[in-house]
């Protein structure tokens, strides 16, 4: 299985300038290659191959006066930028042909130096781990890293990222074996909500931390100060950094809490079943701020990849399944109910239900049924499995099965 590990980096002033130069060169190569392919498409010419772009837009461009500064950064950075563009085009073409599940993917777009997030990607030829615990990056130097945990294997690639608040992160990709936990005889159905973040089928409730709501007062003051600064001034840039740092704190707290909650649920249950919510649709309603503050999609993604990592069963129940309308005791469908109804009595057996607990139990029963039927998802009205979007890589650790890869124990220098 392939995992991703993130660590905070602390480059000095010289290294920050070198990284800024690398970010800019990677962005220029991306834009030049993208422009060449768009011009060829407009002129109805053949698709420009990667080999041609590498020869003209990288190798020959370094010899010209206007692009001579491309030679100041590692060639790996420039080649990886071109490979990322190829991957973006492949995703776009696969989406057009129906080979890619999930939402439609648009064509690649130009990058701007004003983007709040800048990154470069390196392979093993352009970085290494030193004996003193630093990370050497070609033409940048030895970066100081805060090692929050040990790498389980030798990394195969590295991504250096600068976020909107000015922080630097190193993201390593390693190949390692799955860590299968001992089998349990407990299953869990989960009903996600806003007032209560999650209700489990055994009756346990997880309160919603509401990190954004708790930080709104401070964010409101920082946003007010930012709005009063003159456009283009250094004071406005400083105020923008303060707002970005506060938002980064909120995101970090939410992510840390979700990792701990999802790991606890996966470790305590052999199988986990969750309802597939239309988060993108709910994010356009009057509940948008609360929906985004809850972070349901990221939490479900963590449950999914951790279940694969620890050898657990995970399945999603289609959003059309009437989990709040069916009595979990007798199976009688009592009809739709407004959100204001939190407790209701079954008209057939007379059982008094808590709305969320009853929904979690129904999700559990439906999840067991679809797993027993040999599927990973609920069938839709046409009898076909619902196609779900791919799970994005998590920031802290992300798992994706990879066959035929061996695990290298330990990491030199750490």
């Amino acid at each position: 299985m392939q995992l991703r590990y993130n660590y905070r980096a602390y480059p000095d002033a010289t290294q920050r300038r070198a990284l800024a130069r690398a970010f800019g060169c990677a962005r220029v190569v991306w834009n030049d290659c993208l422009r060449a392919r768009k011009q060829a498409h407009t002129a109805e010419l053949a698709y420009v191959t990667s080999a041609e772009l590498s020869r003209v837009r990288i190798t020959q461009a370094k010899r010209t006066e206007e692009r001579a500064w491309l030679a100041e950064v590692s060639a790996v950075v420039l080649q990886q930028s071109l490979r990322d563009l190829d991957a973006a085009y492949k995703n776009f073409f696969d989406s057009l042909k129906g080979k890619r599940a999930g939402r439609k993917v648009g064509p690649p777009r130009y990058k701007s130096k004003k983007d709040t997030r800048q990154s470069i990607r390196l392979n093993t030829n352009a970085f290494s781990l030193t004996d003193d615990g630093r990370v050497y990056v070609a033409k940048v130097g030895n970066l100081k890293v805060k090692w929050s945990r040990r790498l389980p294997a030798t990394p195969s690639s590295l991504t250096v990222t600068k976020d909107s608040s000015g922080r630097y992160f190193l993201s390593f990709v390693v190949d390692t074996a799955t860590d299968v936990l001992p089998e349990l005889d407990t299953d869990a159905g989960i009903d996600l909500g806003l007032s209560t973040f999650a209700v489990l089928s055994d009756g346990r409730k997880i309160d919603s931390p509401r990190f954004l709501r708790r930080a709104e007062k401070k964010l409101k003051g920082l946003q007010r100060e930012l709005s009063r600064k003159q456009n283009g001034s250094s004071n406005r840039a400083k105020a923008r950094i303060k707002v970005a740092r506060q938002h980064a704190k909120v995101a970090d707290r939410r992510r840390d809490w979700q990792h701990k909650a999802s790991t606890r649920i996966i470790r305590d249950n052999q199988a986990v079943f969750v309802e597939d919510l239309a988060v993108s649709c709910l994010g356009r309603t009057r509940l948008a701020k609360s929906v985004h503050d809850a972070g349901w999609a990221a939490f479900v993604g963590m449950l999914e990849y951790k279940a694969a990592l620890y050898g657990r069963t995970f399945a999603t129940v289609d959003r059309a399944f009437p989990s709040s309308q069916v009595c979990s005791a007798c199976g009688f469908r009592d009809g739709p109910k407004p959100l204001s109804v939190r407790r209701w009595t079954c008209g057939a057996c007379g059982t008094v239900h808590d709305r969320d607990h009853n929904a979690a139990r129904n999700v559990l029963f439906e999840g067991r049924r679809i797993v027993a039927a040999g599927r990973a998802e609920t069938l839709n009205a046409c009898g076909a499995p619902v196609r779900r979007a791919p799970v994005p890589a998590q920031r802290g650790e992300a798992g994706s099965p990879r066959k035929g890869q061996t695990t290298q124990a330990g990491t030199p220098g750490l």
Side-chain angles (χ1 to χ4, degrees):
M1 176 172 286
Q2 200 173 60
L3 300 181
R4 184 181 296 276
Y5 287 78
N6 252 37
Y7 302 92
R8 179 80 179 271
Y10 297 89
D12 56 27
T14 304
Q15 293 170 346
R16 287 196 296 269
R17 288 192 295 268
L19 286 174
R21 190 182 304 113
F23 294 150
C25 291
R27 182 181 64 251
V28 168
V29 169
W30 170 287
N31 291 340
D32 288 348
C33 297
L34 177 59
R35 187 179 300 108
R37 284 180 172 171
K38 285 192 172 185
Q39 291 175 351
H41 176 72
T42 304
E44 298 183 355
L45 300 177
Y47 181 79
V48 185
T49 63
S50 301
E52 180 68 15
L53 290 176
S54 177
R55 183 178 62 86
V56 176
R57 300 298 175 176
I58 297 179
T59 304
Q60 295 181 1
K62 293 179 182 179
R63 303 168 185 168
T64 62
E65 183 178 354
E66 60 178 5
R67 289 287 189 268
W69 36 265
L70 289 177
E72 299 178 1
V73 302
S74 173
V76 176
V77 172
L78 308 181
Q79 294 293 341
Q80 291 292 344
S81 181
L82 177 57
R83 292 178 184 177
D84 291 341
L85 179 63
D86 292 338
Y89 266 107
K90 182 179 184 302
N91 293 335
F92 170 59
F93 293 142
D94 289 346
S95 180
L96 289 179
K97 298 175 183 178
K99 297 180 180 180
R100 180 182 174 89
R103 290 183 176 182
K104 293 294 183 181
V105 177
R109 297 180 294 181
Y110 293 109
K111 293 184 178 181
S112 171
K113 64 179 180 180
K114 296 183 180 180
D115 291 341
T116 57
R117 183 181 182 276
Q118 303 285 344
S119 66
I120 56 174
R121 195 160 59 90
L122 310 167
N123 56 21
T124 53
N125 296 328
F127 78 94
S128 61
L129 305 178
T130 62
D131 296 334
D132 58 353
R134 295 173 179 261
V135 177
Y136 170 76
V137 178
K139 294 195 177 182
V140 175
N142 295 324
L143 297 178
K144 181 181 177 181
V145 184
K146 180 65 175 179
W147 298 104
S148 56
R149 54 181 173 174
R150 184 183 177 90
L151 282 172
T154 303
S156 59
S157 69
L158 167 65
T159 302
V160 184
T161 305
K162 180 185 177 183
D163 65 3
S164 59
S165 60
R167 302 180 302 175
Y168 293 85
F169 292 92
L170 303 183
S171 178
F172 298 93
V173 175
V174 298
D175 294 322
T176 183
T178 57
D179 184 14
V180 180
L181 296 176
E183 292 189 6
L184 302 174
D185 56 356
T186 57
D187 298 344
I190 304 176
D191 179 71
L192 300 175
L194 293 178
S195 58
T196 302
F197 178 79
V199 178
L200 277 64
S201 54
D202 57 3
R204 288 184 296 168
K205 294 186 177 181
I206 302 176
D207 295 330
S208 180
R210 300 182 180 180
F211 294 105
L212 180 61
R213 295 291 186 181
R214 287 157 53 184
E216 266 189 326
K217 184 177 181 180
K218 189 170 184 178
L219 277 170
K220 194 176 296 184
L222 294 176
Q223 290 280 12
R224 189 182 299 113
E225 293 178 4
L226 175 62
S227 64
R228 293 171 178 170
K229 299 296 186 293
Q230 184 178 0
N231 289 334
S233 64
S234 59
N235 286 334
R236 182 177 180 84
K238 295 177 184 178
R240 187 201 65 80
I241 291 294
K242 290 182 179 179
V243 175
R245 286 177 179 173
Q246 187 61 29
H247 277 291
K249 288 181 180 179
V250 173
D252 290 344
R253 291 168 184 167
R254 182 188 299 113
R255 188 182 305 108
D256 178 72
W257 181 85
Q258 289 178 340
H259 270 297
K260 293 177 180 177
S262 59
T263 300
R264 184 167 55 251
I265 292 175
I266 291 296
R267 288 184 179 274
D268 294 343
N269 299 278
Q270 183 63 32
V272 178
F273 310 108
V274 187
E275 186 177 6
D276 181 24
L277 299 174
V279 179
S280 59
C281 297
L282 293 173
R284 295 193 293 267
T285 64
R286 60 185 180 88
L287 301 174
K289 183 180 291 188
S290 298
V291 169
H292 291 306
D293 190 15
W296 291 330
F299 181 74
V300 173
M302 292 178 185
L303 289 175
E304 184 171 3
Y305 91 82
K306 289 181 181 180
L309 175 62
Y310 295 121
R312 302 304 198 196
T313 301
F314 177 85
T316 56
V317 176
D318 185 47
R319 65 192 64 166
F321 177 70
S323 59
S324 299
Q325 303 179 22
V326 178
C327 174
S328 59
C330 65
F332 176 73
R333 185 166 180 174
D334 210 8
K337 303 167 186 63
L339 290 176
S340 58
V341 178
R342 309 313 303 172
R343 298 182 65 88
W344 57 280
T345 303
C346 177
C349 62
T351 305
V352 179
H353 293 290
D354 177 84
R355 181 192 184 100
D356 298 332
H357 184 211
N358 177 74
R361 286 174 54 84
N362 286 327
V363 169
L364 173 63
F365 299 150
E366 177 67 9
R368 288 174 175 173
R369 186 189 67 80
I370 61 178
V371 170
R375 298 191 301 269
E377 297 166 335
T378 305
L379 297 182
N380 59 16
C382 299
V386 181
R387 298 178 65 183
R388 302 175 58 249
V391 181
Q394 303 298 318
R395 178 173 179 175
E397 54 179 353
S400 57
R402 191 171 182 179
K403 297 181 180 180
Q405 296 291 335
T406 60
T407 301
Q408 299 178 358
T411 300
L414 296 182

